[in-house]
Amino acid sequence: MKKKYLIASAAVIMLSCGSSNKTSTSSTTTKTETVSKSTNNVNFYAETITEAELKADLMIYASDEFEGRLTGQPGQKKAVEFLKKRYIDLNIPAAKSDGNYFQDVPLEIAKSPEATLTINDSKFELGHDYVSVLSSDSGTINTNEVVFAGFGIEDEAYSDYSSVDITGQVVLLKSGEPQKADGTYIISGTSEASEWSNFRKEMTLKRDIAREKGAKAVLFYAPKDYKNAVKRFGNSNGRITLQDKKEQLYFFLIDTKLATAILPNIEKTQKQATIKTTFNLDYKKVNEEIHSENVAAFIKGTDKADEVIVVSAHLDHEGIKNGEIYNGADDDGSGTVALLEIAEAFKMAKNNGQGPRRSILFLHVTGEEKGLLGSKYYSDIDPIIPLEETMVDLNIDMIGRTDPKRKSDNRNYIYLIGSDKLSTDLHNLSEQVNTSCCNIELDYTFNDDNDPNRFYYRSDHYNFAKNNIPVIFYFNGTHDDYHKPTDTPDKIEYDLLENRTRLVFYTAWELANREAKITADKVAE
């Protein structure tokens, strides 16, 4: 355990907030003053977050010993053991009720399945005429009918399932949504299409509805998006995904040749029907199962313990490529060590009888670089803390460097993303906290809804935001060493890392101890 300061109940020491320039760390070796248990002295605890301790942790965490922390590989196992030991040394308990700091995240390395498909004695080729989207178990289907369920929509304004039963059936669906004769959309009631016409969203929605209604297999016809789908799913070898533990479902995107072999007039047909056709599928799954871990520690609140603040960072990186280790010091070693320092500061306050009023979950997630997999597993499958009790997520991903493309000479900045997307209150609080403590330039460049980089969707906060949980994403932007073996600890600007970590701490402190609960006044997109 790192030794910090002895906390008793004698004198009150008032300390300054983080400076806008390089902050001296000399106090970390001389400070032995005590803090009154009756004083809610946030500044004292913020000052315990120092360059020196951030650097000490990062020099270990982003060292060659950790082999680039590739998801599911030995280096990542060393990383989670390091985090576990740090929380044990800090005497911060595990978040899980069984005392285990690790939340197992079942993954698999996707490999193209082996499959043969014939329809009416015509053979169709996997990867050309159809692509497998879900990783399904090995099995066969032999049937003499396919149910056409139109657009596959189940909505208050419209349903394709009112006249068909798809239990145990092979189901044919097509993309898009119905329109009236005047061109307006039935679901929206306007000339604007709804989410049922957004390929990424509709594919997920239609898949899940068909699964809930008992379909055995789904053939999804989306001709405008099929070529891109083939590029994405046609050769998935090596792609790491979550293991799908839901009800078994074969889900295929299909091309026009296959769709018209079942229903020749599918483009113009909307009426649901059971089509007499022979359908024979032999499917063999060849994926390799692997396992990874989220690391979760927890400080229980006092009088508002059922309202929980999540502070998150991802623990993984790119591993070793062509013999070179991708250390990931900024991405996201910087966020990882920041999270440890914030946790330690809150634990010191807890030990001294100074809150927090609300509980805090310190969540290190795996598989971010593979598609936000650890946070997706947490939010969609096995939340340790019920999502309805989760008030906000503060996500830290790359806060140790500067963006060379940024058009400003002020290096003391941070990009904030998402703070106003769901909660006006959270955004205002964030601004006020920064003004009172840190005076960092808050840059909202990448918060624009039209940001071509789509950073809002590219880090772990998004899996909370999509569930209408307010978020803030703290980010320094990319740089020349982003996702390269040159992202090493010596490149980190530790004074900035200290200031930014303190900002997150101050924000979390205010969220944890204010009287009013942060709520979402907007709806997730």
Side-chain angles (χ1 to χ4, degrees), residues 94-278:
K96 294 178 64 180
S97 59
D98 63 2
N100 189 353
Y101 287 89
F102 296 159
Q103 179 186 42
D104 187 59
V105 179
L107 304 171
E108 57 189 11
I109 301 176
K111 298 182 179 180
S112 295
E114 298 172 6
T116 57
L117 173 63
T118 59
I119 297 173
N120 293 330
D121 297 325
S122 295
K123 188 174 181 179
F124 294 87
E125 182 183 350
L126 179 68
H128 184 267
D129 301 315
Y130 65 107
V131 291
S132 179
V133 176
L134 286 184
S135 176
S136 303
D137 292 337
S138 299
T140 60
I141 299 177
N142 296 294
T143 183
N144 291 318
E145 61 183 28
V146 172
V147 176
F148 176 59
F151 298 101
I153 294 173
E154 183 83 294
D155 189 90
E156 291 181 358
Y158 174 88
S159 174
D160 278 301
Y161 291 103
S162 58
S163 61
V164 293
D165 180 4
I166 63 170
T167 304
Q169 298 279 8
V170 176
V171 182
L172 174 62
L173 307 176
K174 65 178 183 178
S175 61
E177 60 185 299
Q179 293 174 272
K180 297 179 181 178
D182 62 2
T184 58
Y185 290 91
I186 292 175
I187 293 172
S188 67
T190 69
S191 59
E192 295 293 325
S194 73
E195 63 184 355
W196 295 100
S197 290
N198 180 303
F199 176 65
R200 293 180 64 184
K201 289 185 177 181
E202 69 162 331
M203 184 171 68
T204 301
L205 288 168
K206 293 175 179 181
R207 177 200 68 198
D208 291 347
I209 290 169
R211 189 193 328 243
E212 290 170 8
K213 291 185 176 294
K216 191 169 185 178
V218 172
L219 309 174
F220 184 46
Y221 177 53
K224 292 181 181 179
D225 299 285
Y226 185 72
K227 287 185 178 180
N228 288 331
V230 170
K231 292 178 182 178
R232 179 180 178 188
F233 299 106
N235 184 8
S236 58
N237 287 350
R239 182 170 59 93
I240 297 178
T241 65
L242 285 172
Q243 291 182 31
D244 191 344
K245 298 296 185 180
K246 297 179 182 178
E247 189 70 24
Q248 174 72 12
L249 177 71
Y250 299 99
F251 189 88
F252 303 109
L253 290 171
I254 64 174
D255 73 352
T256 302
K257 177 184 174 183
L258 196 156
T260 55
I262 300 172
L263 185 60
N265 203 25
I266 189 172
E267 294 281 5
K268 297 181 180 180
T269 303
Q270 293 189 26
K271 187 177 180 180
Q272 302 82 3
T274 298
I275 304 166
K276 295 300 179 181
T277 185
T278 60

Side-chain angles (χ1 to χ4, degrees), residues 263-304:
L263 185 60
N265 203 25
I266 189 172
E267 294 281 5
K268 297 181 180 180
T269 303
Q270 293 189 26
K271 187 177 180 180
Q272 302 82 3
T274 298
I275 304 166
K276 295 300 179 181
T277 185
T278 60
F279 179 97
N280 300 290
L281 172 70
D282 187 0
Y283 183 100
K284 183 180 179 181
K285 177 181 178 178
V286 294
N287 287 1
E288 176 187 348
E289 292 189 1
I290 60 172
H291 288 270
S292 189
E293 301 84 16
N294 293 331
V295 181
F298 190 72
I299 293 179
K300 187 174 182 179
T302 54
D303 59 312
K304 296 179 180 291

Side-chain angles (χ1 to χ4, degrees), residues 43 153 391 426 515:
N43 293 336
I153 294 173
M391 188 176 78
L426 176 61
E515 183 61 34

